[in-house]
Short mmCIF file of all heavy atoms in Angstrom, two decimals:
data_model
loop_
_atom_site.label_atom_id
_atom_site.label_comp_id
_atom_site.label_asym_id
_atom_site.label_seq_id
_atom_site.Cartn_x
_atom_site.Cartn_y
_atom_site.Cartn_z
N MET A 723 -39.43 -2.09 -5.79
CA MET A 723 -39.30 -1.12 -6.89
C MET A 723 -38.41 -1.64 -8.00
O MET A 723 -38.25 -0.99 -9.04
CB MET A 723 -38.73 0.20 -6.35
CG MET A 723 -39.64 0.92 -5.39
SD MET A 723 -38.86 2.40 -4.66
CE MET A 723 -38.72 3.45 -6.12
N GLY A 724 -37.79 -2.81 -7.80
CA GLY A 724 -36.90 -3.38 -8.80
C GLY A 724 -35.52 -2.76 -8.80
O GLY A 724 -34.81 -2.82 -9.82
N LEU A 725 -35.10 -2.19 -7.66
CA LEU A 725 -33.80 -1.53 -7.55
C LEU A 725 -32.89 -2.31 -6.60
O LEU A 725 -33.35 -3.17 -5.84
CB LEU A 725 -33.99 -0.09 -7.06
CG LEU A 725 -34.89 0.79 -7.94
CD1 LEU A 725 -35.09 2.16 -7.30
CD2 LEU A 725 -34.32 0.93 -9.35
N VAL A 762 -45.89 3.87 -7.26
CA VAL A 762 -45.48 4.65 -8.44
C VAL A 762 -44.59 3.81 -9.35
O VAL A 762 -44.77 3.78 -10.57
CB VAL A 762 -44.75 5.94 -7.99
CG1 VAL A 762 -44.03 6.58 -9.17
CG2 VAL A 762 -45.73 6.91 -7.37
N ALA A 763 -43.61 3.14 -8.74
CA ALA A 763 -42.71 2.30 -9.53
C ALA A 763 -43.47 1.19 -10.25
O ALA A 763 -43.18 0.87 -11.42
CB ALA A 763 -41.62 1.71 -8.64
N ALA A 764 -44.46 0.61 -9.57
CA ALA A 764 -45.25 -0.46 -10.19
C ALA A 764 -46.01 0.06 -11.41
O ALA A 764 -46.07 -0.61 -12.45
CB ALA A 764 -46.22 -1.05 -9.17
N VAL A 765 -46.58 1.26 -11.30
CA VAL A 765 -47.32 1.85 -12.42
C VAL A 765 -46.38 2.14 -13.59
O VAL A 765 -46.69 1.84 -14.76
CB VAL A 765 -48.03 3.14 -11.99
CG1 VAL A 765 -48.64 3.86 -13.19
CG2 VAL A 765 -49.12 2.82 -10.96
N ILE A 766 -45.21 2.70 -13.30
CA ILE A 766 -44.25 3.04 -14.36
C ILE A 766 -43.77 1.79 -15.07
O ILE A 766 -43.67 1.75 -16.30
CB ILE A 766 -43.06 3.83 -13.77
CG1 ILE A 766 -43.54 5.21 -13.27
CG2 ILE A 766 -41.96 4.00 -14.81
CD1 ILE A 766 -42.47 6.00 -12.54
N ARG A 767 -43.50 0.74 -14.31
CA ARG A 767 -43.03 -0.51 -14.92
C ARG A 767 -44.16 -1.17 -15.72
O ARG A 767 -43.91 -1.81 -16.75
CB ARG A 767 -42.50 -1.45 -13.85
CG ARG A 767 -41.16 -0.98 -13.27
CD ARG A 767 -40.55 -2.01 -12.34
NE ARG A 767 -39.28 -1.55 -11.80
CZ ARG A 767 -38.11 -1.61 -12.43
NH1 ARG A 767 -38.06 -2.13 -13.65
NH2 ARG A 767 -37.00 -1.17 -11.86
N ALA A 768 -45.40 -1.02 -15.25
CA ALA A 768 -46.53 -1.58 -16.00
C ALA A 768 -46.69 -0.89 -17.34
O ALA A 768 -47.21 -1.48 -18.30
CB ALA A 768 -47.81 -1.44 -15.18
N GLN A 769 -46.22 0.36 -17.44
CA GLN A 769 -46.26 1.10 -18.70
C GLN A 769 -45.06 0.79 -19.59
O GLN A 769 -44.92 1.36 -20.67
CB GLN A 769 -46.28 2.61 -18.42
CG GLN A 769 -47.51 3.08 -17.67
CD GLN A 769 -47.43 4.54 -17.28
OE1 GLN A 769 -46.39 5.18 -17.47
NE2 GLN A 769 -48.50 5.09 -16.75
N GLY A 770 -44.19 -0.12 -19.12
CA GLY A 770 -43.02 -0.49 -19.91
C GLY A 770 -41.76 0.25 -19.52
O GLY A 770 -40.73 0.12 -20.20
N GLY A 771 -41.81 0.99 -18.43
CA GLY A 771 -40.65 1.74 -17.99
C GLY A 771 -39.58 0.84 -17.40
O GLY A 771 -39.86 -0.20 -16.82
N SER A 772 -38.32 1.26 -17.51
CA SER A 772 -37.19 0.51 -16.97
C SER A 772 -36.81 1.07 -15.61
O SER A 772 -37.42 2.03 -15.11
CB SER A 772 -36.00 0.62 -17.92
OG SER A 772 -35.58 1.99 -18.02
N SER A 773 -35.78 0.49 -15.00
CA SER A 773 -35.28 1.01 -13.73
C SER A 773 -34.81 2.46 -13.89
O SER A 773 -35.00 3.29 -12.99
CB SER A 773 -34.13 0.14 -13.21
OG SER A 773 -34.59 -1.14 -12.86
N ALA A 774 -34.19 2.76 -15.03
CA ALA A 774 -33.74 4.13 -15.28
C ALA A 774 -34.92 5.09 -15.37
O ALA A 774 -34.85 6.23 -14.90
CB ALA A 774 -32.91 4.17 -16.56
N THR A 775 -36.03 4.62 -15.96
CA THR A 775 -37.23 5.46 -16.05
C THR A 775 -37.80 5.74 -14.66
O THR A 775 -38.23 6.85 -14.36
CB THR A 775 -38.30 4.79 -16.92
OG1 THR A 775 -37.73 4.40 -18.17
CG2 THR A 775 -39.46 5.74 -17.17
N VAL A 776 -37.79 4.71 -13.82
CA VAL A 776 -38.29 4.87 -12.44
C VAL A 776 -37.44 5.88 -11.68
O VAL A 776 -37.97 6.81 -11.06
CB VAL A 776 -38.29 3.50 -11.70
CG1 VAL A 776 -38.58 3.70 -10.22
CG2 VAL A 776 -39.30 2.56 -12.33
N THR A 777 -36.12 5.72 -11.73
CA THR A 777 -35.27 6.64 -10.98
C THR A 777 -35.29 8.04 -11.57
O THR A 777 -35.14 9.02 -10.85
CB THR A 777 -33.82 6.10 -10.92
OG1 THR A 777 -33.35 5.83 -12.25
CG2 THR A 777 -33.75 4.83 -10.10
N GLY A 778 -35.49 8.17 -12.90
CA GLY A 778 -35.61 9.48 -13.50
C GLY A 778 -36.86 10.21 -13.03
O GLY A 778 -36.83 11.42 -12.75
N ALA A 779 -37.97 9.47 -12.91
CA ALA A 779 -39.22 10.08 -12.46
C ALA A 779 -39.11 10.54 -11.00
O ALA A 779 -39.52 11.66 -10.65
CB ALA A 779 -40.37 9.10 -12.62
N VAL A 780 -38.54 9.70 -10.15
CA VAL A 780 -38.47 10.08 -8.74
C VAL A 780 -37.35 11.10 -8.50
O VAL A 780 -37.38 11.82 -7.50
CB VAL A 780 -38.29 8.83 -7.85
CG1 VAL A 780 -39.53 7.95 -7.92
CG2 VAL A 780 -37.06 8.03 -8.23
N HIS A 914 -26.55 2.98 -11.98
CA HIS A 914 -27.03 3.32 -13.32
C HIS A 914 -27.59 4.73 -13.29
O HIS A 914 -28.00 5.25 -12.24
CB HIS A 914 -28.08 2.32 -13.83
CG HIS A 914 -29.38 2.36 -13.08
ND1 HIS A 914 -30.33 3.35 -13.26
CD2 HIS A 914 -29.89 1.54 -12.14
CE1 HIS A 914 -31.36 3.12 -12.48
NE2 HIS A 914 -31.12 2.04 -11.78
N GLY A 915 -27.61 5.38 -14.45
CA GLY A 915 -28.12 6.74 -14.55
C GLY A 915 -29.62 6.76 -14.76
O GLY A 915 -30.23 5.76 -15.17
N PRO A 916 -30.28 7.90 -14.50
CA PRO A 916 -31.73 8.02 -14.69
C PRO A 916 -32.07 8.32 -16.15
O PRO A 916 -31.25 8.82 -16.92
CB PRO A 916 -32.10 9.21 -13.80
CG PRO A 916 -30.86 10.06 -13.78
CD PRO A 916 -29.69 9.10 -13.87
N ALA A 917 -33.30 7.99 -16.52
CA ALA A 917 -33.86 8.36 -17.82
C ALA A 917 -35.17 9.09 -17.57
O ALA A 917 -35.91 8.75 -16.64
CB ALA A 917 -34.10 7.12 -18.68
N PHE A 918 -35.47 10.09 -18.37
CA PHE A 918 -36.60 10.96 -18.09
C PHE A 918 -37.71 10.77 -19.13
O PHE A 918 -37.46 10.85 -20.34
CB PHE A 918 -36.14 12.42 -18.05
CG PHE A 918 -35.09 12.67 -17.01
CD1 PHE A 918 -33.75 12.75 -17.35
CD2 PHE A 918 -35.43 12.81 -15.67
CE1 PHE A 918 -32.77 12.96 -16.40
CE2 PHE A 918 -34.46 13.02 -14.70
CZ PHE A 918 -33.13 13.10 -15.06
N ASP A 919 -38.90 10.50 -18.63
CA ASP A 919 -40.07 10.32 -19.47
C ASP A 919 -41.23 11.09 -18.82
O ASP A 919 -41.53 10.87 -17.65
CB ASP A 919 -40.42 8.83 -19.58
CG ASP A 919 -41.65 8.59 -20.42
OD1 ASP A 919 -41.53 8.49 -21.66
OD2 ASP A 919 -42.75 8.50 -19.84
N ALA A 922 -44.05 9.18 -17.02
CA ALA A 922 -43.61 8.62 -15.73
C ALA A 922 -43.46 9.71 -14.68
O ALA A 922 -43.81 9.51 -13.51
CB ALA A 922 -42.29 7.87 -15.92
N GLY A 974 -28.90 5.66 -9.47
CA GLY A 974 -29.68 4.44 -9.62
C GLY A 974 -30.33 3.93 -8.36
O GLY A 974 -30.92 2.84 -8.36
#
Side-chain angles (χ1 to χ4, degrees):
M723 294 175 67
L725 302 175
V762 166
V765 172
I766 293 174
R767 289 188 180 278
Q769 297 174 353
S772 63
S773 294
T775 309
V776 171
T777 54
V780 295
H914 67 77
F918 301 100
D919 179 86

